């Protein structure tokens, strides 16, 4: 890595004036509603397929009759081209997964969470500063960006999407991610995961790249499956593990509000009746979380980022059971379980105050539907 990174040189300094004008012109256009920005990937000097795309027929989710009728709200973009999530849950869809692609762009600036070249840009954060710094003190021969806007915003997305792309970045140059800031601090459990996953990225606030590689790595093809499972194997290598019935991952009041009123009651019920382990990720360190999740046949909890701790190490044939708020139905984990040869089940709650309640008997009956 040391040979690829140097202090800002005279050659880069000569281009600083041009960058400054380009960046501020872009910001001005955006604020005036005249943003005609060009995506940085579209001006790449080279692009290539890293892994091929493919097609597969999706399996159905596991759920009781009448569940979908309770759903009052959902994220429509997650179910495209379908308007309502019911069709996605039914399965039998011929899902097309695109290829994993790389893009090489030369002479690129990283400043305050955004990449620039002329009129082209690519955003790695969602809240750039009003007036970005013009101090650029790193010059990199060939870097590879693996972080994304969503991954910089949400822990679950970082672990499920950005971290698998890190392996691609290591093959293409110095793996680079944005440095933490007041708006985007490091995730509390991020360093521990990076340590166990052997991730050693270069964190930068600003830089000039002679060559920069970007990726299209959002398709759940076999390459992404293999890289994600390799991550799980690395995590499992740190803890002893044997099969056990399941783990309930508590959400509590963390993140976007999805308050399950009887969460503790349900978790205790499953602990007593089925031998599930109960974990509060907010009060546990990463080694103890992984040790508890390793070997689980079922990962259950309120739909949300905390489930990723268990999904990371869930084996083929295992099941994710999402407890869904009726006004915020999300199917993100189904796309991962479809990819990784696992099952996806859900129970939709009943509104109660500013939260919701899950029927314990419905959870029991849903668990009984999971293939052994």
């Amino acid at each position: 890595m040391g040979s690829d990174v140097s202090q800002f040189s005279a050659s880069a300094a000569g281009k600083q004036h041009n960058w400054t004008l380009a960046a501020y012109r872009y910001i001005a256009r955006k604020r005036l509603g005249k943003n005609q920005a060009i995506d940085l990937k579209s001006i790449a000097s080279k692009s290539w397929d890293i892994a091929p795309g493919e097609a597969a027929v999706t399996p159905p989710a596991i759920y009781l009759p009448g569940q979908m009728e309770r759903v009052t709200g959902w994220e429509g973009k997650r179910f495209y081209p379908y308007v309502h999530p019911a069709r996605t849950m039914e399965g039998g869809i011929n899902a097309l997964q695109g290829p994993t692609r790389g893009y090489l762009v030369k002479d690129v600036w990283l400043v305050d969470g955004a990449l620039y070249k002329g009129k082209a840009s690519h955003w790695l954060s969602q809240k750039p500063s009003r007036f970005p710094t013009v101090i650029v003190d790193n010059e990199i021969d060939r870097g590879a960006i693996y972080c994304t806007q969503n991954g910089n915003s949400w822990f679950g997305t970082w672990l499920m999407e950005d971290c698998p792309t890190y392996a691609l970045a290591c093959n293409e140059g110095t793996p680079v991610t944005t440095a933490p800031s007041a708006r985007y601090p490091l995730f509390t459990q991020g360093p521990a995961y990076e340590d166990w996953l052997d991730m050693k990225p270069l964190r930068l606030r600003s830089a000039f790249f002679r060559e920069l590689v970007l990726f299209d790595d959002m398709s759940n093809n076999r390459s992404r499956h293999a890289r994600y499972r390799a991550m799980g194997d690395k995590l499992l290598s740190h803890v002893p593990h044997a099969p056990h019935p399941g783990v309930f991952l508590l959400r509590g009041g963390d993140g976007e509000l999805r308050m399950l009123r009887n969460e503790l009651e349900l978790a205790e019920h499953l602990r007593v009746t089925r031998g599930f382990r109960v974990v509060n990720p907010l009060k546990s360190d990463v080694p103890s979380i992984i040790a508890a999740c390793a070997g689980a046949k079922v990962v259950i909890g309120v739909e949300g980022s905390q489930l990723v701790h268990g999904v990371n190490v869930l084996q083929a044939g295992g099941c994710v059971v999402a407890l869904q708020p009726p006004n915020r139905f999300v199917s993100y984990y189904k796309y991962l379980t479809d990819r990784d040869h696992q099952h996806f089940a859900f129970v939709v709650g009943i509104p109660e105050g500013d939260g919701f309640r899950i029927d314990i008997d419905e959870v029991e009956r849903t668990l009984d539907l999971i293939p052994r």
Side-chain angles (χ1 to χ4, degrees), residues 167-213:
L168 300 180
C170 289
N171 293 333
E172 295 293 346
T174 301
V176 175
T177 185
T178 52
S181 65
R183 296 190 307 280
Y184 291 98
L186 280 177
F187 298 114
T188 303
Q189 294 165 329
Y193 270 109
E194 287 183 338
D195 181 44
W196 276 22
L197 292 171
D198 298 321
M199 294 174 63
K200 299 177 176 62
L202 181 62
R203 302 185 192 278
L204 295 173
R205 291 182 182 276
S206 61
F208 173 73
F209 297 92
R210 294 192 184 96
E211 294 186 335
L212 181 67
V213 178

Side-chain angles (χ1 to χ4, degrees), residues 6-244:
S6 63
Q7 291 299 307
F8 190 68
S9 68
S11 63
K15 301 171 184 175
Q16 187 166 9
H17 178 67
N18 290 337
W19 170 80
T20 304
L21 292 177
Y24 278 104
R25 283 171 182 161
Y26 177 89
I27 293 171
R29 288 197 303 270
K30 188 172 184 179
R31 296 191 184 282
L32 291 171
K34 299 178 181 179
N35 181 18
Q36 301 295 326
I38 301 169
D39 185 79
L40 199 59
K41 294 176 183 176
S42 69
I43 63 167
S45 58
K46 176 186 176 183
S47 62
W48 65 99
D49 284 356
I50 296 171
E54 59 200 63
V57 178
T58 64
I62 297 169
Y63 56 103
L64 297 171
Q67 294 293 305
M68 294 308 307
E69 286 74 12
R70 295 181 189 166
V71 176
T72 59
W74 57 89
E75 293 188 19
K77 62 184 178 182
R78 292 291 188 189
F79 304 101
Y80 179 84
Y82 305 105
V83 175
H84 190 278
R87 182 68 188 89
T88 300
M89 295 300 109
E90 290 170 6
I93 299 168
N94 189 30
L96 299 176
Q97 301 294 341
T100 302
R101 292 185 56 77
Y103 301 82
L104 176 65
V105 189
K106 297 182 178 180
D107 298 332
V108 180
W109 299 89
L110 167 66
V111 175
D112 193 40
L115 297 167
Y116 298 97
K117 180 177 181 178
K119 295 181 179 180
S121 62
H122 183 78
W123 295 91
L124 304 173
S125 65
Q126 297 190 30
K127 298 178 181 178
S129 297
R130 183 178 178 87
F131 297 106
T133 178
V134 295
I135 299 174
V136 179
D137 53 8
N138 295 286
E139 183 174 3
I140 300 175
D141 288 334
R142 185 180 173 104
I145 295 283
Y146 68 93
C147 63
T148 62
Q149 280 191 1
N150 289 340
N152 277 333
S153 302
W154 297 296
F155 170 74
T157 307
W158 171 76
L159 197 48
M160 289 182 285
E161 296 184 1
D162 288 10
C163 289
T165 307
Y166 177 84
L168 300 180
C170 289
N171 293 333
E172 295 293 346
T174 301
V176 175
T177 185
T178 52
S181 65
R183 296 190 307 280
Y184 291 98
L186 280 177
F187 298 114
T188 303
Q189 294 165 329
Y193 270 109
E194 287 183 338
D195 181 44
W196 276 22
L197 292 171
D198 298 321
M199 294 174 63
K200 299 177 176 62
L202 181 62
R203 302 185 192 278
L204 295 173
R205 291 182 182 276
S206 61
F208 173 73
F209 297 92
R210 294 192 184 96
E211 294 186 335
L212 181 67
V213 178
L214 301 172
F215 303 97
D216 278 345
D217 190 31
M218 295 303 296
S219 296
N220 285 315
N221 54 36
R222 286 180 220 178
S223 171
R224 206 178 191 205
H225 160 75
R227 284 178 277 119
Y228 191 68
R229 294 332 314 166
M231 284 172 45
D233 290 343
K234 278 188 177 181
L235 296 175
L236 288 173
S237 71
H238 292 275
V239 298
H241 51 280
H244 64 91

